[in-house]
């Protein structure tokens, strides 16, 4: 079964890998854009809203990128040969009034795009924008209206609306005879929802989703946060995998995230993921990654007075990327990717002929 979250995807981008192998900084393959930090939910596990967390240091919930600057960023991505743009948060992307225009511009630039959304807004314009994406992941993170309302600080009726919207997107895609977007559901495991994993997977499958991604709440306590509930979570995940079939996939990424949390600081100095995937915050600052977004350590520069292409090709950015020590990060969810990239650009890997 194909894994759309595989770290091995980097091997399909040999042009970038060859530049890394020579010690250079390639154009990014993948750019994450946060159109707005405004959100119609208030999730208690949101990394950007947890006081004292790395990505909350300089986060402002009202920041929004004007459409003119968003279109400029898309133009820069096209100029640099960026192959995919992920529209994410921050806040809720579909709250941005020009969200459909942004999607249209990315499609017109012949760049693939994906969308992370809470799925609460699904009018005709947003549906048309989403159906142009390669994938859409709807963050639900609960199996009933009460848990959903408590975690997201919204009215319980919103749970049914979001599930209906997942089905609406599925039915709209099917009516067009399309295979895209791949529709996923996101489930971030917390203390509040950890007993609902299996039921949430059943819901996602019933609503027409193609997959569900089970992940772990990234927070400052690390793996200790899950210590007392770890066995229950593994049991739920194992039961959930039994619901897979030819149409529906369960991506159990909880174990990977737990390994990252248990490890804490990376065991390598060089972070090449930051050179292949970058993050544009709603404050118009460019950051190394989502983990270090809205954080002084992650900031590469501002787009207020320059384009993304100008920033990326500057000597300042090259120095910041080249002389960054990943071992100083408190935690990382890109360990697997960094290990894979390091192997891919290794000039003399061991025993390569013994496959």
């Amino acid at each position: 079964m194909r894994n759309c979250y595989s770290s091995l995807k980097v091997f399909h981008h040999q042009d970038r890998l060859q530049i890394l192998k020579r010690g250079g900084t390639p154009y990014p393959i993948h750019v994450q854009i946060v159109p707005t930090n405004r959100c119609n939910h208030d999730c208690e596990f949101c990394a950007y809203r947890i006081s004292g967390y790395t990505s909350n240091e300089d986060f402002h919930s009202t920041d929004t990128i004007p459409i003119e600057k968003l279109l400029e960023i898309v133009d820069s991505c096209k100029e640099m040969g960026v192959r995919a743009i992920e529209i994410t948060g921050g806040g809720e992307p579909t709250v941005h009034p020009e969200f459909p225009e942004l999607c249209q511009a990315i499609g017109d630039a012949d760049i693939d795009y994906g969308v992370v959304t809470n799925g609460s807004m699904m009018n005709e314009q947003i549906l048309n924008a989403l159906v142009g994406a390669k994938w859409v992941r709807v963050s639900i993170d609960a199996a009933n209206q009460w848990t959903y309302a408590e975690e997201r600080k919204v009215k319980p009726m919103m749970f049914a609306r979001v599930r209906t919207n997942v089905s609406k997107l599925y039915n709209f895609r099917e009516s067009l005879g399309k295979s895209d977007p791949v529709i996923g559901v996101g489930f971030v495991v917390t203390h509040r929802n950890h007993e609902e994993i299996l039921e949430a997977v059943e819901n996602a499958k019933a609503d027409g989703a193609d997959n569900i991604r089970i992940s772990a709440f990234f927070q400052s306590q690390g793996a200790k946060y899950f210590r007392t509930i770890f066995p229950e979570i593994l049991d739920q995940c194992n039961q959930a995998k039994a619901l897979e079939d030819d149409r529906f996939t369960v991506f159990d990424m909880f174990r990977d995230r737990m390994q990252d949390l248990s490890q804490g600081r990376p065991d390598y100095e060089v972070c090449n993921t930051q050179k292949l995937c970058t993050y544009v915050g709603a404050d118009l600052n460019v950051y190394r990654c989502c983990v270090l977004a809205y954080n002084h350590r992650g900031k590469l520069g501002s787009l207020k007075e320059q384009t993304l292409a100008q920033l990326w090709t500057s000597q300042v950015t090259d120095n910041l990327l080249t002389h960054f020590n990943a071992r100083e990060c408190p935690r990382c969810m890109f360990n697997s990717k960094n290990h894979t990239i390091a192997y891919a650009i290794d000039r003399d890997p061991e025993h390569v002929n013994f496959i």
Side-chain angles (χ1 to χ4, degrees):
M1 195 171 290
R2 294 188 297 177
N3 182 359
C4 58
Y5 293 104
S6 173
S7 62
L8 300 178
K9 290 187 290 184
V10 71
F11 285 98
H12 292 279
H13 302 280
Q14 288 296 322
D15 56 336
R16 268 48 170 210
L17 290 177
Q18 290 305 313
I19 294 172
L20 286 176
K21 189 175 288 189
R22 295 193 296 267
T25 298
Y27 289 135
I29 300 167
H30 171 190
V31 172
Q32 293 178 290
I33 299 177
V34 178
T36 182
N37 285 340
R38 296 181 183 275
C39 194
N40 55 352
H41 289 195
D42 187 18
C43 303
E44 61 184 22
F45 54 86
C46 177
Y48 304 104
R49 289 165 172 79
I50 302 173
S51 180
Y53 192 64
T54 48
S55 49
N56 177 257
E57 181 181 274
D58 196 27
F59 178 84
H60 302 285
S61 62
T62 58
D63 283 342
T64 295
I65 303 178
I67 185 59
E68 296 78 15
K69 199 67 181 182
L70 286 170
L71 298 181
E72 178 195 281
I73 293 167
V74 173
D75 287 342
S76 272
C77 288
K78 183 176 182 178
E79 177 185 340
M80 295 189 294
V82 169
R83 293 168 184 170
I85 291 175
E86 179 180 336
I87 308 172
T88 186
E92 167 52 37
T94 61
V95 166
H96 195 290
E98 281 85 27
F99 172 77
E101 186 176 347
L102 171 61
C103 294
Q104 182 67 48
I106 298 171
D108 290 346
D110 199 26
I111 299 173
D112 292 345
Y113 67 94
V115 181
V116 181
T117 173
N118 62 32
S120 60
M121 301 172 66
M122 207 75 78
N123 60 31
E124 183 178 351
Q125 290 76 23
I126 290 173
L127 266 177
N128 279 307
L130 293 178
V131 85
K134 285 293 181 181
W135 55 265
V136 175
R137 186 168 72 242
V138 181
S139 303
I140 297 183
D141 316 296
N144 63 70
Q145 61 181 338
W146 309 117
T147 302
Y148 187 86
E150 288 171 357
E151 287 206 321
R152 293 177 169 271
K153 309 298 185 293
V154 295
K155 294 180 180 179
M157 52 82 65
M158 186 64 72
F159 178 70
R161 178 189 296 179
V162 171
R163 289 191 61 189
T164 298
N165 284 343
V166 172
S167 297
K168 185 184 294 187
L169 180 58
Y170 168 78
N171 290 329
F172 188 46
R173 180 190 72 183
E174 295 301 297
S175 72
L176 298 175
K178 298 182 63 174
S179 56
D180 292 332
V182 173
I183 302 169
V185 166
F187 190 101
V188 176
V189 181
T190 67
H191 268 269
R192 192 186 296 278
N193 67 13
H194 75 278
E195 295 179 334
E196 300 176 19
I197 297 171
L198 178 60
E199 187 179 355
V201 173
E202 293 171 338
N203 290 345
K205 185 174 183 179
D207 294 340
D210 301 296
N211 65 65
I212 185 169
R213 188 186 78 167
I214 305 168
S215 191
F217 176 28
F218 252 54
Q219 28 61 44
S220 300
Q221 294 180 54
K224 292 179 181 178
Y225 174 88
F226 293 101
R227 182 173 295 165
T228 59
I229 57 176
F230 187 66
E232 297 174 68
I233 296 170
L234 292 188
D235 182 57
Q236 290 263 317
C237 289
N238 289 335
Q239 291 184 66
K241 287 292 285 184
L243 295 175
E244 288 190 322
D245 56 30
D246 291 340
R247 196 199 66 78
F248 182 75
T249 307
V250 177
F251 292 110
D252 176 9
M253 299 178 68
F254 179 80
R255 291 170 172 82
D256 293 338
R257 296 292 78 81
M258 276 296 293
Q259 184 174 335
D260 293 332
L261 287 170
S262 297
Q263 177 176 310
R265 297 186 183 278
D267 57 357
Y268 48 86
E269 290 186 7
V270 178
C271 172
N272 283 308
T273 298
Q274 63 174 338
K275 293 186 176 183
L276 299 179
C277 173
T278 198
Y279 182 106
V280 181
D283 58 357
L284 280 176
N285 287 320
V286 178
Y287 297 95
R288 302 176 191 277
C289 66
C290 59
V291 181
L292 291 178
Y294 305 107
N295 183 286
H296 74 283
R297 178 170 158 74
K299 184 178 176 180
L300 297 176
S302 171
L303 299 182
K304 290 180 180 178
E305 303 296 334
Q306 62 184 326
T307 68
L308 177 59
Q310 289 169 337
L311 180 146
W312 194 261
T313 54
S314 72
Q315 188 61 54
V316 172
T317 298
D318 187 66
N319 288 338
L320 286 170
L321 292 171
T322 301
H323 299 293
F324 178 75
N325 186 349
R327 289 184 185 273
E328 296 177 7
C329 294
R331 68 196 68 80
C332 181
M333 62 175 64
F334 305 113
N335 292 313
S336 176
K337 290 182 180 181
N338 274 317
H339 286 140
T340 300
I341 296 167
Y343 179 79
I345 65 175
D346 191 338
R347 293 177 180 274
D348 187 28
E350 288 187 310
H351 307 307
V352 294
N353 296 327
F354 293 86
I355 59 173

